[in-house]
Amino acid sequence: MWITVLALAVAVNFEPMRLGLITVALSRPRPVAQLLAFLCGALTTSLGAGLLILLVIHHGLIKAVKFDGSVVQIVIGVVAILASAVLASNLKIPGFPRKPVPDNDISETGAPTGQPRVPAVVKRLAAHTKGLVRGSSPWFSAAMGVTIAVPSVDYIALLILIATSGSTLAVQTGALVTFVVVANTVVAVPIASFLLAPEKTRSAIMALRAWIAARSRRDFAVVLAVAGCVMIAVGVS
């Protein structure tokens, strides 16, 4: 159980969307306050949802369903490999651009030929979103933290693995807290670093984001596939 918890927690720190939102928070006024709000939103959502699911399973509200921890690990690995296959394809996925459009398919305006014009309501919504991003309210950063921490399929599968490990509720809660803390290291470290060297911290985060943005979908697919194979190996062993 602990190997899976730590492996997934470390991997979560390198999610492109998480790093992108952290960069957005750093670019807003009072970056330390923005990061603290982001961290509070993420911790509250992750811990709240996690504890709720653990308590539901621990108190036998779904005891009719029997889970094998090793099977759950294998399932997580298979899901990761399937996700890597999707990433390696040319399907449209938010945050992961597809292959570039050939030059002969681009009009004089720079947009792909045949692409519909953006409606006015969408333009107004985009302008309003830019206003929120450039604002100074930490509530927007907290909302970003909540968004990034909404329980995903792999997080729910991990909670099921923890809840069916046979450990006491205290140990299960410790595993959950460990996962959440390690998974948010990428947020906590810049807060401490920003207090000591704000400009260097901002530059380092920007450089890391640029490096990740330069990676192709297939690069992320390889990493995800390797993680999936590790999960399957742990489940089988």
Side-chain angles (χ1 to χ4, degrees):
M1 176 185 73
W2 286 101
I3 294 178
T4 303
V5 169
L6 292 175
L8 285 179
V10 171
V12 165
N13 285 281
F14 298 97
E15 290 180 347
M17 182 176 293
R18 181 178 296 266
L19 291 173
L21 292 180
I22 291 173
T23 306
V24 171
L26 279 173
S27 64
R28 306 180 76 220
R30 298 182 299 160
V32 174
Q34 304 295 342
L35 284 178
L36 282 173
F38 184 96
L39 182 61
C40 289
L43 289 177
T44 301
T45 304
S46 296
L47 287 175
L51 288 173
L52 178 62
I53 294 176
L54 285 183
L55 289 173
V56 166
I57 298 177
H58 181 77
H59 288 291
L61 297 182
I62 58 171
K63 65 180 180 181
V65 181
K66 299 297 182 180
F67 296 99
D68 186 341
S70 61
V71 173
V72 174
Q73 289 176 314
I74 294 174
V75 170
I76 295 176
V78 171
V79 170
I81 292 176
L82 291 176
S84 70
V86 173
L87 277 179
S89 68
N90 199 33
L91 296 176
K92 184 177 180 181
I93 304 174
F96 293 92
R98 293 183 291 183
K99 296 177 181 178
V101 180
D103 293 340
N104 56 2
D105 290 338
I106 299 179
S107 65
E108 295 180 357
T109 61
T113 57
Q115 182 175 343
R117 299 181 64 180
V118 179
V121 63
V122 175
K123 292 182 178 179
R124 288 196 297 269
L125 181 61
H128 181 64
T129 302
K130 288 181 179 179
L132 288 175
V133 172
R134 295 171 180 173
S136 60
S137 174
W139 288 106
F140 182 76
S141 295
M144 290 194 299
V146 171
T147 301
I148 202 66
V150 171
S152 58
V153 175
D154 53 349
Y155 183 52
I156 294 176
L158 177 67
L159 291 173
I160 293 175
L161 171 65
I162 294 174
T164 58
S165 63
S167 304
T168 63
L169 182 59
V171 174
Q172 293 176 9
T173 303
L176 171 63
V177 173
T178 300
F179 173 84
V180 173
V181 170
V182 175
N184 285 281
T185 301
V186 71
V187 185
V189 169
I191 293 176
S193 178
F194 203 94
L195 294 174
L196 300 175
E199 292 304 322
K200 289 185 178 180
T201 301
R202 184 181 285 109
S203 299
I205 292 293
M206 293 293 185
L208 180 60
R209 184 189 182 190
W211 181 84
I212 291 178
R215 307 277 72 77
S216 68
R217 284 172 51 162
R218 292 186 178 180
D219 293 331
F220 290 109
V222 170
V223 174
L224 198 55
V226 171
C229 291
V230 171
M231 296 302 170
I232 293 176
V234 172
V236 172
S237 61

